[in-house]
Amino acid sequence: MSEFTDPIVLFDGVCNLCNGAVNVLLDLDKHKRLKFASLQSEYAENLIQVQTLEEKIRGIDSILFWDGKEIHIKSNAIIEICGKLGGFWKILKLSYMIPRPIRDLLYDLIAKNRYRLFGKRESCRMPTPELKERILG
C-alpha cells in the first residue's frame, strides 16, 4: 500500500529505553528521513495488518524497522535504522559481518531486560507540534 512507503521506526511506546532511542534518532536524523510510530498506536496496528507482518514480528515488541518495502527485526532493524541516518552512521552497516545469531543474542538480552533496567512509562509519548509530522498515529 502506498500509505506505508516511508521508513518507519516502530517502537515500544511505554519503554524508557525505546523512547530514549527515538529521542536520539530524532536528533541524529538531520535530513528527517525517518518517521516513528509506537507499537501501541493504531497506525502501527494498521501497518502490521495491511502488510501482513504478524508472523514475521511475532514475539518482538521493542524496536522494528519498516523500510517502505519490508520489515527488519532485532539487530537487523538497528543496523538498517543507522544506515538511514547516513554519514558516519552508515559505517554501522559493517555490523552485518557479525553473524546474526550473535547480534540477535545481544539484542534479545537487552530487549528482555529493558523494563527492569530502564523502567516503563504509563503511556506513550505525545509529539510536540514540530514533531507531529514525524511521529505517526
Side-chain angles (χ1 to χ4, degrees):
M1 293 294 214
S2 60
E3 177 183 359
F4 303 113
T5 57
D6 291 325
I8 303 167
V9 176
L10 301 166
F11 65 99
D12 179 355
V14 297
C15 168
N16 285 334
L17 176 61
C18 299
N19 276 283
V22 168
N23 288 335
V24 169
L25 290 170
L26 283 165
D27 289 342
L28 293 175
D29 185 18
K30 302 296 183 205
H31 299 288
K32 299 182 178 170
R33 293 180 178 122
L34 299 172
K35 301 220 186 267
F36 302 85
S38 161
L39 283 165
Q40 293 83 0
S41 71
E42 190 175 313
Y43 187 91
E45 285 181 33
N46 288 337
L47 169 64
I48 290 164
Q49 286 180 343
V50 168
Q51 298 297 330
T52 60
L53 302 174
E54 295 90 350
E55 191 64 35
K56 289 183 179 180
I57 67 167
R58 188 175 317 279
I60 302 167
D61 61 357
S62 48
I63 291 185
L64 304 159
F65 181 60
W66 172 254
D67 68 7
K69 296 178 186 158
E70 66 179 298
I71 195 77
H72 301 275
I73 61 171
K74 298 189 179 192
S75 61
N76 284 359
I78 304 303
I79 294 168
E80 290 297 321
I81 290 167
C82 289
K84 286 290 183 198
L85 294 174
F88 166 80
W89 296 101
K90 279 186 129 175
I91 199 165
L92 290 177
K93 289 264 219 171
L94 292 174
S95 298
Y96 276 123
M97 292 175 21
I98 301 168
R100 186 173 183 172
I102 294 170
R103 289 184 280 117
D104 283 350
L105 182 67
L106 179 60
Y107 178 94
D108 288 341
L109 182 66
I110 294 168
K112 179 181 175 186
N113 294 294
R114 69 188 188 274
Y115 293 146
R116 186 173 56 79
L117 296 172
F118 300 97
K120 244 175 138 171
R121 297 169 176 246
E122 290 298 315
S123 62
C124 299
R125 88 186 245 171
M126 296 302 294
T128 62
E130 53 274 358
L131 294 179
K132 198 98 167 138
E133 69 185 35
R134 296 184 65 202
I135 308 283
L136 309 169

